[in-house]
Amino acid sequence: MRGLKGKNVLVTGASSGIGRAIAIHFAAAGAHVAVNYRSSPKEAAEVIHEIRSNCEKAGIPADDLKNMTVQADVSKEEDVDSMFEQVIATLGGLDILINNAGLQIQGASHEIPISDFDKMIDINMRGAYLCARKAITHFLDHGGGVIVNDSSVHELIPRPRYVGYTMSKAGMQAMTRTLALEYARDNIRINSFAPGATLTPINPWKDDPEKKADIESHIPMGRSGTPEEMAAVAAFLASDEAAYITGQTLFVDGGLTLYPSFRTPWTG
Ligand code: BGC
């Protein structure tokens, strides 16, 4: 992918799931990667280990790439400030931010504890904004940069029992569009990709064949997506191949946003 080699990339929430796949994908494309984690240093270290062993397998000396783990809870401003300081000092700058950290908690919308609602808004939406602010501040002083946000089909599709999650992702869409417009003349591009049902730890049903089959029966393509399929799209949006795209959400969902119930149309 044009324009990823040698770039400095920060991936939030990169110790598992889609973030992990993104970190590995970008490193394989020759980028220097900072793997952010909140509470799982061991998993984050394993991501770096995998990056380095992939390099060796590909015959690239692992030391040609810089990489690091960095702890931060993205919902805490002081954590975010310190993460950016560490990443910029260690990698020598920042070119690409991937806002991936997120969580989802379900429950009847009139009953879900407000503390759970707050967590989703704080991490998924406010956290993405806190990181975007810091990245943009750096980009403005260094000729530009790219932000890619990991959103969800639920920035668009309502999802009963997930009101905090859908609100956080709709907010992420508004942020993407607003920041893209505001910084369009500053060589800063901001886009989102929106995964559908993906085989990651956020979806424990992936290990339950019956539930998985039920969920997949609603997906037009008849299967879940993989973290690697999401990472490939994040890489495209971050790369120079997407140089003329800003403020957009690219849905990566096997057709989930296409009104799946119309797949076998009724007559009458
Ligand atoms: C959610 C998943 C869900 C998918 C499709 C994602 O944003 O995190 O739990 O399976 O959307 O509904």
Side-chain angles (χ1 to χ4, degrees), residues 104 151-154 159 162 165 169 195-198 202-203 205 215 256:
Q104 70 180 3
S151 181
S152 163
V153 289
H154 298 296
R159 191 177 190 196
Y162 287 83
Y165 186 74
K169 296 300 185 178
T198 311
I202 209 173
N203 288 320
W205 50 257
I215 283 165
L256 206 57

mmCIF file of all heavy atoms in Angstrom, residues 104 151-154 159 162 165 169 195-198 202-203 205 215 256, ligand 1:
data_model
loop_
_atom_site.group_PDB
_atom_site.id
_atom_site.type_symbol
_atom_site.label_atom_id
_atom_site.label_comp_id
_atom_site.label_asym_id
_atom_site.label_seq_id
_atom_site.Cartn_x
_atom_site.Cartn_y
_atom_site.Cartn_z
ATOM 1 N N GLN A 104 -18.208 -2.428 24.385
ATOM 2 C CA GLN A 104 -19.669 -2.386 24.324
ATOM 3 C C GLN A 104 -20.261 -3.190 25.471
ATOM 4 O O GLN A 104 -19.770 -4.249 25.826
ATOM 5 C CB GLN A 104 -20.201 -2.854 22.973
ATOM 6 C CG GLN A 104 -20.062 -4.309 22.674
ATOM 7 C CD GLN A 104 -20.616 -4.671 21.292
ATOM 8 O OE1 GLN A 104 -21.060 -3.817 20.525
ATOM 9 N NE2 GLN A 104 -20.587 -5.946 20.961
ATOM 10 N N SER A 151 -15.206 2.662 13.623
ATOM 11 C CA SER A 151 -16.590 2.922 14.028
ATOM 12 C C SER A 151 -17.359 1.605 14.076
ATOM 13 O O SER A 151 -16.848 0.585 14.541
ATOM 14 C CB SER A 151 -17.214 3.927 13.056
ATOM 15 O OG SER A 151 -18.528 4.219 13.440
ATOM 16 N N SER A 152 -18.567 1.583 13.548
ATOM 17 C CA SER A 152 -19.408 0.379 13.549
ATOM 18 C C SER A 152 -20.556 0.609 12.590
ATOM 19 O O SER A 152 -20.966 1.756 12.369
ATOM 20 C CB SER A 152 -19.972 0.146 14.946
ATOM 21 O OG SER A 152 -21.067 -0.752 14.880
ATOM 22 N N VAL A 153 -21.107 -0.493 12.076
ATOM 23 C CA VAL A 153 -22.353 -0.338 11.304
ATOM 24 C C VAL A 153 -23.412 0.365 12.144
ATOM 25 O O VAL A 153 -24.340 0.974 11.616
ATOM 26 C CB VAL A 153 -22.917 -1.702 10.832
ATOM 27 C CG1 VAL A 153 -22.054 -2.297 9.741
ATOM 28 C CG2 VAL A 153 -23.101 -2.682 11.985
ATOM 29 N N HIS A 154 -23.229 0.302 13.485
ATOM 30 C CA HIS A 154 -24.231 0.909 14.369
ATOM 31 C C HIS A 154 -24.047 2.413 14.539
ATOM 32 O O HIS A 154 -24.721 3.026 15.349
ATOM 33 C CB HIS A 154 -24.256 0.166 15.708
ATOM 34 C CG HIS A 154 -24.646 -1.267 15.501
ATOM 35 N ND1 HIS A 154 -25.882 -1.626 15.027
ATOM 36 C CD2 HIS A 154 -23.943 -2.415 15.628
ATOM 37 C CE1 HIS A 154 -25.927 -2.936 14.886
ATOM 38 N NE2 HIS A 154 -24.769 -3.443 15.243
ATOM 39 N N ARG A 159 -29.579 -0.201 17.223
ATOM 40 C CA ARG A 159 -29.398 -1.522 17.811
ATOM 41 C C ARG A 159 -30.029 -1.566 19.204
ATOM 42 O O ARG A 159 -29.442 -1.053 20.170
ATOM 43 C CB ARG A 159 -27.907 -1.869 17.895
ATOM 44 C CG ARG A 159 -27.705 -3.325 18.237
ATOM 45 C CD ARG A 159 -26.243 -3.710 18.255
ATOM 46 N NE ARG A 159 -26.118 -5.155 18.363
ATOM 47 C CZ ARG A 159 -25.011 -5.790 18.708
ATOM 48 N NH1 ARG A 159 -23.905 -5.109 18.940
ATOM 49 N NH2 ARG A 159 -24.987 -7.098 18.799
ATOM 50 N N TYR A 162 -28.417 -1.486 22.985
ATOM 51 C CA TYR A 162 -27.033 -0.988 22.875
ATOM 52 C C TYR A 162 -27.037 0.523 22.720
ATOM 53 O O TYR A 162 -26.310 1.065 21.904
ATOM 54 C CB TYR A 162 -26.341 -1.631 21.665
ATOM 55 C CG TYR A 162 -25.988 -3.089 21.848
ATOM 56 C CD1 TYR A 162 -26.921 -4.092 21.639
ATOM 57 C CD2 TYR A 162 -24.702 -3.460 22.247
ATOM 58 C CE1 TYR A 162 -26.594 -5.421 21.814
ATOM 59 C CE2 TYR A 162 -24.363 -4.794 22.415
ATOM 60 C CZ TYR A 162 -25.322 -5.771 22.201
ATOM 61 O OH TYR A 162 -24.987 -7.098 22.366
ATOM 62 N N TYR A 165 -23.691 2.341 23.071
ATOM 63 C CA TYR A 165 -22.777 1.984 21.989
ATOM 64 C C TYR A 165 -23.168 2.711 20.691
ATOM 65 O O TYR A 165 -22.329 3.345 20.044
ATOM 66 C CB TYR A 165 -22.804 0.461 21.797
ATOM 67 C CG TYR A 165 -21.799 -0.058 20.810
ATOM 68 C CD1 TYR A 165 -20.446 -0.117 21.127
ATOM 69 C CD2 TYR A 165 -22.201 -0.507 19.547
ATOM 70 C CE1 TYR A 165 -19.522 -0.609 20.210
ATOM 71 C CE2 TYR A 165 -21.284 -1.002 18.635
ATOM 72 C CZ TYR A 165 -19.941 -1.051 18.970
ATOM 73 O OH TYR A 165 -19.029 -1.539 18.064
ATOM 74 N N LYS A 169 -20.995 5.615 18.634
ATOM 75 C CA LYS A 169 -20.515 5.468 17.253
ATOM 76 C C LYS A 169 -21.131 6.531 16.332
ATOM 77 O O LYS A 169 -20.478 6.995 15.399
ATOM 78 C CB LYS A 169 -20.811 4.052 16.737
ATOM 79 C CG LYS A 169 -20.063 2.957 17.493
ATOM 80 C CD LYS A 169 -18.544 3.120 17.421
ATOM 81 C CE LYS A 169 -17.809 1.972 18.061
ATOM 82 N NZ LYS A 169 -16.341 2.080 17.966
ATOM 83 N N PRO A 195 -17.003 -1.652 10.870
ATOM 84 C CA PRO A 195 -17.133 -3.104 10.799
ATOM 85 C C PRO A 195 -18.561 -3.555 11.092
ATOM 86 O O PRO A 195 -19.271 -2.938 11.894
ATOM 87 C CB PRO A 195 -16.204 -3.608 11.911
ATOM 88 C CG PRO A 195 -15.327 -2.455 12.266
ATOM 89 C CD PRO A 195 -16.124 -1.225 11.963
ATOM 90 N N GLY A 196 -18.945 -4.646 10.449
ATOM 91 C CA GLY A 196 -20.146 -5.371 10.864
ATOM 92 C C GLY A 196 -19.719 -6.428 11.869
ATOM 93 O O GLY A 196 -18.764 -6.227 12.627
ATOM 94 N N ALA A 197 -20.427 -7.550 11.890
ATOM 95 C CA ALA A 197 -20.114 -8.626 12.841
ATOM 96 C C ALA A 197 -18.721 -9.181 12.525
ATOM 97 O O ALA A 197 -18.480 -9.665 11.429
ATOM 98 C CB ALA A 197 -21.161 -9.710 12.726
ATOM 99 N N THR A 198 -17.847 -9.094 13.486
ATOM 100 C CA THR A 198 -16.439 -9.451 13.249
ATOM 101 C C THR A 198 -15.983 -10.448 14.309
ATOM 102 O O THR A 198 -16.414 -10.371 15.465
ATOM 103 C CB THR A 198 -15.572 -8.167 13.317
ATOM 104 O OG1 THR A 198 -16.175 -7.166 12.489
ATOM 105 C CG2 THR A 198 -14.159 -8.412 12.820
ATOM 106 N N ILE A 202 -14.696 -8.942 21.353
ATOM 107 C CA ILE A 202 -15.858 -8.116 21.734
ATOM 108 C C ILE A 202 -17.150 -8.888 21.467
ATOM 109 O O ILE A 202 -18.204 -8.571 22.006
ATOM 110 C CB ILE A 202 -15.835 -6.744 20.999
ATOM 111 C CG1 ILE A 202 -16.527 -5.647 21.820
ATOM 112 C CG2 ILE A 202 -16.497 -6.828 19.642
ATOM 113 C CD1 ILE A 202 -16.400 -4.235 21.229
ATOM 114 N N ASN A 203 -17.069 -9.918 20.625
ATOM 115 C CA ASN A 203 -18.224 -10.739 20.257
ATOM 116 C C ASN A 203 -18.053 -12.174 20.738
ATOM 117 O O ASN A 203 -17.681 -13.057 19.952
ATOM 118 C CB ASN A 203 -18.399 -10.723 18.730
ATOM 119 C CG ASN A 203 -18.918 -9.392 18.238
ATOM 120 O OD1 ASN A 203 -19.787 -8.787 18.863
ATOM 121 N ND2 ASN A 203 -18.381 -8.930 17.121
ATOM 122 N N TRP A 205 -19.985 -14.482 21.038
ATOM 123 C CA TRP A 205 -20.752 -15.479 20.271
ATOM 124 C C TRP A 205 -19.902 -16.172 19.197
ATOM 125 O O TRP A 205 -20.282 -17.203 18.682
ATOM 126 C CB TRP A 205 -21.992 -14.856 19.633
ATOM 127 C CG TRP A 205 -21.747 -13.581 18.857
ATOM 128 C CD1 TRP A 205 -22.032 -12.327 19.273
ATOM 129 C CD2 TRP A 205 -21.168 -13.440 17.548
ATOM 130 N NE1 TRP A 205 -21.674 -11.407 18.312
ATOM 131 C CE2 TRP A 205 -21.137 -12.065 17.248
ATOM 132 C CE3 TRP A 205 -20.676 -14.335 16.597
ATOM 133 C CZ2 TRP A 205 -20.636 -11.556 16.052
ATOM 134 C CZ3 TRP A 205 -20.156 -13.841 15.401
ATOM 135 C CH2 TRP A 205 -20.143 -12.463 15.142
ATOM 136 N N ILE A 215 -26.462 -15.371 13.958
ATOM 137 C CA ILE A 215 -26.042 -14.011 13.580
ATOM 138 C C ILE A 215 -25.674 -13.965 12.096
ATOM 139 O O ILE A 215 -26.079 -13.061 11.359
ATOM 140 C CB ILE A 215 -24.881 -13.556 14.487
ATOM 141 C CG1 ILE A 215 -25.484 -13.165 15.845
ATOM 142 C CG2 ILE A 215 -24.094 -12.394 13.888
ATOM 143 C CD1 ILE A 215 -24.522 -13.030 16.969
ATOM 144 N N LEU A 256 -24.354 -5.853 5.522
ATOM 145 C CA LEU A 256 -25.297 -5.672 6.637
ATOM 146 C C LEU A 256 -26.089 -4.366 6.564
ATOM 147 O O LEU A 256 -27.205 -4.283 7.072
ATOM 148 C CB LEU A 256 -24.515 -5.737 7.958
ATOM 149 C CG LEU A 256 -25.264 -6.174 9.206
ATOM 150 C CD1 LEU A 256 -25.892 -7.544 9.028
ATOM 151 C CD2 LEU A 256 -24.301 -6.200 10.391
HETATM 152 C C1 BGC B 1 -20.571 -4.767 17.321
HETATM 153 C C2 BGC B 1 -20.797 -6.256 17.222
HETATM 154 C C3 BGC B 1 -21.926 -6.577 16.261
HETATM 155 C C4 BGC B 1 -21.724 -5.855 14.954
HETATM 156 C C5 BGC B 1 -22.882 -6.061 13.983
HETATM 157 C C6 BGC B 1 -20.390 -4.207 15.951
HETATM 158 O O1 BGC B 1 -20.184 -2.843 16.053
HETATM 159 O O2 BGC B 1 -19.437 -4.522 18.102
HETATM 160 O O3 BGC B 1 -21.103 -6.772 18.496
HETATM 161 O O4 BGC B 1 -21.962 -7.972 16.018
HETATM 162 O O5 BGC B 1 -21.542 -4.485 15.180
HETATM 163 O O6 BGC B 1 -24.114 -5.933 14.617
#
